[in-house]
Amino acid sequence: SSQQQQMQQTAIEATLFELFGDNVLCNDIQSRYYPFIRYVGDGVSSAEECGNMCSNCPGNNQGGLVLRGFNYFGLFNACECLVDVGISFDKTVCEDVVAAIDANKGSGEIVNTTPYQGVQCWKVPSPSSSKA
């Protein structure tokens, strides 16, 4: 249907995230942490802004990176965009990046979490799990 196509087009412009857990860090199916790109400051003063930053970069396929979700540290205005392992990157992959860690081994859909006070785990829903 044309409505479905419209929704798909919207999803390309801004990645849609769903809250996966409060006071937890995101992990993959083997409970591993993901490689991440960290933003800090006024530009990420809410989870929504963090999601916007991540969907803008690395969410637009910069360097072939696959965005899986983000950890949002509300107390510190810190935002970690989580990507699949397998592609090396550094802070130059996006603008205004504070840290870039590509040594973590996480990959695939966010499935598990690790308790961590003050953090929210947001994930990009898999196509199969996002059916209304």
Side-chain angles (χ1 to χ4, degrees), residues 3 30 52 54 94 100 106 109 113-114 126 129:
Q3 193 181 0
Q30 295 182 44
N52 289 341
C54 291
C94 303
E109 192 180 345
T113 57
T114 304
S126 71
S129 74

Side-chain angles (χ1 to χ4, degrees), residues 27-29 32 34 66 68 83-85 106-111:
N27 296 120
D28 73 359
I29 197 163
R32 297 173 298 197
Y34 292 86
V66 178
R68 292 299 180 177
V83 298
D84 276 353
V85 71
S107 70
E109 192 180 345
I110 293 166
V111 179

Side-chain angles (χ1 to χ4, degrees), residues 24-61:
V24 293
L25 294 166
C26 303
N27 296 120
D28 73 359
I29 197 163
Q30 295 182 44
S31 295
R32 297 173 298 197
Y33 295 106
Y34 292 86
F36 64 83
I37 288 155
R38 182 185 292 139
Y39 297 106
V40 178
D42 292 341
V44 288
S45 58
S46 69
E48 186 181 10
E49 287 183 345
C50 176
N52 289 341
M53 289 287 280
C54 291
S55 64
N56 182 38
C57 185
N60 276 322
N61 201 33

Side-chain angles (χ1 to χ4, degrees), residues 78-124:
C79 170
E80 290 178 354
C81 312
L82 309 174
V83 298
D84 276 353
V85 71
I87 297 172
S88 61
F89 58 88
D90 61 23
K91 291 197 295 191
T92 61
V93 69
C94 303
E95 285 178 37
D96 302 319
V97 174
V98 175
I101 304 292
D102 63 3
N104 294 342
K105 303 292 188 222
S107 70
E109 192 180 345
I110 293 166
V111 179
N112 294 309
T113 57
T114 304
Y116 198 102
Q117 197 61 36
V119 183
Q120 288 182 328
C121 167
W122 292 74
K123 69 177 277 186
V124 176

